Each structure stands twice: as structure tokens, then as C-alpha cells.
Amino acid sequence: MMKFLGTFALATALAGAGLAHEGVKNEAVKARMMLMDGVKTATGALGGMAKGDVAFDAAKAGAARQALIDHAAAIPAAFKAPEMDPKSTALPAIWENWADFEAKARSMGAAAEELDTSELEWLQAGMGALGGSCAACHKAYRVKK
Ligand code: HEC
């Protein structure tokens, strides 16, 4: 059941993203959206392997895990300034609850660190927590589309 819920959360986090940052004028907003796109790429690579859509490759999975750890660490700096753009889906609540926002970024980093990318079944076991960490932050701090 937990695994099912986690997979669902992950699919929700990845759905409907597209190239939303196209046409964004505010450079700081564009940069944080591109950071999130990097998060999506790494998560998608891991998710594809976990679901069996893509052959498992421990080296690629390890690189994606490291990218997620690095991206999670970069989230606070990328979002610190309360910049806005008509195309942004960030909610002002981020800057009203900054400590919580940072904590949610740390949770994502921790979920990525906990991923064991040496074997497919361990990767699969950790994906639910990773997807849950995306969903927890998006639910509170991102406009629902
Ligand atoms: C600490 C909070 C936080 C975490 C954790 C987080 N996100 Fe985000 N994410 C956001 C916010 C806020 C936005 C909206 C940014 C904007 O539009 O200005 C966003 C936007 C996105 C976008 C859209 C980017 C674009 O070009 O518009 C994608 C894709 C995305 N996140 C994927 C993920 C995935 C996958 C995870 C989990 C591995 C994740 N995010 C974890 C806060 C978070």
C-alpha cells in the first residue's frame, strides 16, 4: 500500500510539467524553474528504472541520486528571494513559511540520500519516499494545475 501511494505521489509530481518556464521573463524565477526541471529529469530517470520502462543501470541511478542531493541543497538559495512571474506556479506561502519550505527541501535531500541505487529492488523501495517529498512541498507551496 505504501508503495502504491508513493508511486502515485511521484506520478503526480511529474505530471503536467512540460516546458512551463518558456516565456518566463524574470531570470530568478526562470532559474528556479530550471532547477526544478533538473529535479524532474533525475527523478524521471529513477522512476523509469523503478517501473521497468528503462533497463536498470546502477551507475546512471547513482548519478541521478547525486543530482537530486545537489538539487535539493540548491533549492533554498534558488527560492530565497520572493521573486514572481506570471508563469510561476510558486505560492507566496513559501516566504511566509520559509523555515518550513527549507525543511521540505531538506526532506527531499534526505529521501534522495536514503536511496540505495546499487540494486533495482532497493531503488524501488526508496522511490515512494522521494515522490512523497515532492508532493509534500508542491501541495503546500505550488499552485495546483
Ligand atoms: C521545497 C519545496 C519543493 C520540493 C521538495 C520539490 N519541489 Fe518542485 N517545485 C516547487 C515550487 C515552489 C515550484 C514552482 C516554481 C515556480 O514556478 O516558480 C516547483 C516546480 C516544479 C516543476 C515545474 C518546473 C517548471 O518548469 O515550471 C517540476 C517539474 C517539479 N517542481 C518537480 C519536482 C520533483 C520531481 C520533486 C521531487 C523529487 C520536487 N519538484 C520537489 C517546490 C518544490
Side-chain angles (χ1 to χ4, degrees):
M1 191 60 186
M2 278 311 288
K3 195 170 158 192
F4 171 76
L5 287 173
T7 310
F8 179 75
L10 186 65
T12 312
L14 292 173
L19 285 171
H21 57 261
E22 242 159 57
V24 174
K25 302 236 161 39
N26 183 316
E27 289 299 324
V29 170
K30 194 170 184 170
R32 76 191 183 205
M33 286 169 128
M34 287 177 73
L35 173 68
M36 276 297 154
D37 277 351
V39 170
K40 180 194 171 193
T41 302
T43 307
L46 293 172
M49 288 185 221
K51 280 189 288 174
D53 294 347
V54 183
F56 176 72
D57 179 323
K60 283 186 189 153
R65 170 184 176 271
Q66 188 57 52
L68 286 176
I69 293 169
D70 296 346
H71 290 336
I75 289 175
F79 282 87
K80 181 112 189 111
E83 302 280 351
M84 277 315 263
D85 186 282
K87 292 223 170 185
S88 172
T89 57
L91 289 173
I94 293 172
W95 299 285
E96 289 154 18
N97 305 277
W98 180 250
D100 181 61
F101 183 82
E102 277 189 307
K104 286 183 163 56
R106 277 196 301 275
S107 304
M108 181 197 133
E113 289 210 31
E114 276 162 26
L115 282 178
D116 183 340
T117 50
S118 62
E119 303 224 22
L120 177 58
E121 56 183 356
W122 292 116
L123 171 64
Q124 287 168 332
M127 286 308 283
L130 179 67
S133 76
C134 319
C137 191
H138 289 175
K139 200 167 171 239
Y141 299 117
R142 199 178 167 207
V143 178
K144 278 155 214 68
K145 292 209 267 189

